[in-house]
Amino acid sequence: MTRLLALADSDSYLKWAAGTAERLAPEGAGLALIASPVAPSAAQRRAALAQTRWRDAPLAPHSLAALVEHVRGERPEAVLVGMRGPTAAVVLAELAALPGRPVLLSGLPGVGIPASRKALFYRAQADAMIVHSLREREAFAARAQQLGWPQRFAVATLPFLERHPSAGDDIVFAAQALVPESLADRRAIIALLVALARRNPDRRVVLKLRALDGEAQTHDERYPLDALLHEVDRPANLLTRHDSMLAALDTAGALITVSSTALIEAVARGIPGLALTDFGVGDALINTVFEGSGLFGSMDDALEGRFRMPTPGWSARNYLHAPEHDDAQAVLAELVARREAGVLGAARRPVRSTLGGPLRAAWNRRTALGAHEAGLLPALALVIGVPLRAGLVLGRRVVGRGGRRPVAPVRQAQVPMPMPQPQPQPQPQPLETQPPAAMSPTPTSASTTPTS
């Protein structure tokens, strides 16, 4: 039985780390949370852990020092670091320095296409990086080779995919913090949801939210969709929901998104969906993964109910592959065996610069963990590092002027219906069927600092 400890920082990483740990070490998994600016609230923890053995665990966040001591005391054979890039790099560096260090794993909590430099950069000290499809493994291996950063990759099916069918016909929209980005585009989303609700008065249209007022998220949401609902006359059958995605899919008949992993969760359960193309297709929108899937469609397609299932060829290479292609458990077992035999070797070297020694390390800890990393050295690192970094950024901008190509304007999405003038939010009328307890009037999400 492999003893695996999973560590997480934000809501999405907590959901991923817990689910992945249970699959990799069904009988020997533990879970811990680090204190950070994006630590999930109690409600977010319940939603993230609803389908895991930790559903009722209080899971109080640890400081970095306490977390390292927890690992030292638990002596797990392996640790899965499920955190945003800068925090993952800090924690991996601390664990790599432990005597008799554990096997170190890391990864991303959802779709990893495009395979980015930053994803590899921050996780370079992991003995293996978890990916979720055959296409991801190929893409990340090619990217690592291009960068000259050797890394090992292991495939594990997304941990929150379920195969049982839905028992409802809600039209669910999976909200995302980063895409679409502009205020106009996000208002277009609201207009679409209003139009869908009015066109389908006998169905619930559900805006599935990621956070409530005062809660942090993995990424900053500049224009929360739930807040924009206050600008329109909301139909009674247009609801918001803030519990787990698994619960939202239990009553879903269709799912719409721009590029959320929720679309993969939906089609895995036989729920058709759409990845909207009205805002474009590209790496910035995180939707190139759906090219060739048959899932792309427009707002007009959504209004006409033209929801789709993916093509079999795309599914086999992208997240819905056969179980026998998963090799993460085998890779973990091999690495643990090497550790037990004393041939795991020294920790992998980071590709992140270590110039500056302890002061640089303190800077990395403070910028990743904010006020949760206190002390004289982190404070001194900020005093020296902030103006130094500002000067470097300014210098790069000055040098870069004149040789930069003009940026093409971003195409705005066409709003599918005229946007009503802002007016007071009406009290929602009750539906004939009582909505789940997790549905509520629209809250306003808190903002956090975005990171890779």
Side-chain angles (χ1 to χ4, degrees):
M1 179 181 71
T2 300
R3 291 179 293 108
L4 172 68
L5 179 61
L7 310 177
D9 63 347
S10 69
D11 59 332
S12 57
Y13 275 102
L14 178 61
K15 177 181 175 180
W16 175 78
T20 301
E22 283 197 320
R23 292 202 176 183
L24 292 180
E27 298 179 1
L31 182 66
L33 191 64
I34 191 170
S36 78
V38 294
S41 68
Q44 286 175 304
R45 293 199 296 270
R46 285 193 298 270
L49 302 175
Q51 304 298 316
T52 73
R53 72 184 67 172
W54 300 285
R55 64 180 62 85
D56 298 318
L59 211 65
H62 296 277
S63 68
L64 175 61
L67 191 70
V68 173
E69 283 306 306
H70 180 63
V71 173
R72 193 193 302 269
E74 289 291 318
R75 298 182 61 83
E77 295 168 297
V79 174
L80 173 64
V81 179
M83 302 180 184
R84 302 177 307 159
T87 311
V90 165
V91 172
L92 285 168
E94 294 284 333
L95 299 182
L98 289 177
R101 70 173 183 89
V103 171
L104 299 176
L105 306 175
S106 193
L108 301 174
V111 170
I113 300 293
S116 73
R117 177 186 180 277
K118 283 187 177 181
L120 293 167
F121 174 81
Y122 288 122
R123 295 166 181 86
Q125 285 195 273
D127 295 297
M129 182 170 164
I130 305 294
V131 294
H132 301 111
S133 73
L134 305 182
R135 180 179 174 187
E136 277 194 4
R137 179 164 60 187
E138 293 171 6
F140 272 106
R143 189 78 167 115
Q145 183 177 26
Q146 177 191 45
L147 293 166
W149 299 343
Q151 181 56 281
R152 186 168 186 180
F153 302 97
V155 177
T157 299
L158 284 166
F160 31 84
L161 291 190
E162 299 284 346
R163 301 290 179 168
H164 61 274
S166 165
D169 69 345
D170 294 348
I171 302 173
V172 177
F173 183 87
Q176 294 169 267
L178 297 181
V179 296
E181 182 180 17
S182 74
L183 177 59
D185 284 349
R186 295 181 81 80
R187 281 178 169 154
I189 293 292
I190 296 300
L192 170 65
L193 299 181
V194 171
L196 277 169
R198 289 178 177 162
R199 186 169 292 204
N200 300 275
D202 57 339
R203 298 179 72 176
R204 296 190 303 201
V205 176
V206 178
L207 172 58
K208 172 62 181 71
L209 302 171
R210 290 293 306 273
L212 294 174
D213 187 20
E215 292 178 327
Q217 295 188 70
T218 302
H219 299 291
D220 177 40
E221 187 170 13
R222 187 175 181 185
Y223 305 112
L225 291 177
D226 48 325
L228 297 181
L229 268 178
H230 291 293
E231 298 181 351
V232 302
D233 182 6
R234 189 175 75 183
N237 61 326
L238 173 52
L239 307 170
T240 61
R241 187 166 185 158
H242 51 82
D243 55 354
S244 71
M245 180 56 71
L246 288 172
L249 292 178
D250 282 341
T251 57
L255 184 131
I256 308 167
T257 189
V258 176
S259 58
S260 173
T261 307
L263 182 54
I264 298 167
E265 296 182 60
V267 298
R269 296 181 59 173
I271 301 167
L274 283 175
L276 296 177
T277 56
D278 302 78
F279 312 103
V281 175
D283 289 349
L285 288 158
I286 328 169
N287 60 0
T288 55
V289 69
F290 294 114
E291 290 175 335
S293 69
L295 292 170
F296 277 143
S298 66
M299 291 183 176
D300 286 340
D301 289 321
L303 288 171
E304 296 300 325
R306 294 190 287 262
F307 302 106
R308 296 139 188 193
M309 292 294 292
T311 62
W314 182 89
S315 298
R317 282 180 41 76
N318 296 272
Y319 312 102
L320 301 175
H321 55 268
E324 56 264 28
H325 291 299
D326 282 358
D327 65 354
Q329 271 190 316
V331 169
L332 174 59
E334 177 201 326
L335 290 169
V336 168
R338 289 174 55 191
R339 176 179 181 270
E340 291 176 350
V343 293
L344 180 60
R348 294 166 56 86
R349 296 183 62 184
V351 296
R352 196 179 197 181
S353 173
T354 57
L355 184 64
L359 195 62
R360 176 61 178 263
W363 163 266
N364 291 339
R365 294 195 302 270
R366 183 58 189 252
T367 54
L369 299 171
H372 297 278
E373 180 65 13
L376 180 60
L377 193 59
L380 179 62
L382 280 186
V383 170
I384 297 174
V386 169
L388 179 61
R389 186 176 187 180
L392 289 172
V393 171
L394 180 61
R396 287 172 187 155
R397 287 177 179 173
V398 170
V399 171
R401 285 177 185 171
R404 188 174 298 170
R405 295 181 180 179
V407 177
V410 177
R411 178 172 59 88
Q412 297 291 336
Q414 296 298 313
V415 179
M417 60 173 282
M419 176 60 68
Q421 294 297 315
Q423 52 185 289
Q425 172 75 0
Q427 294 297 318
Q429 299 299 315
L431 296 175
E432 292 183 5
T433 58
Q434 184 70 22
M439 293 187 176
S440 70
T442 55
T444 303
S445 303
S447 293
T448 62
T449 302
T451 188
S452 299

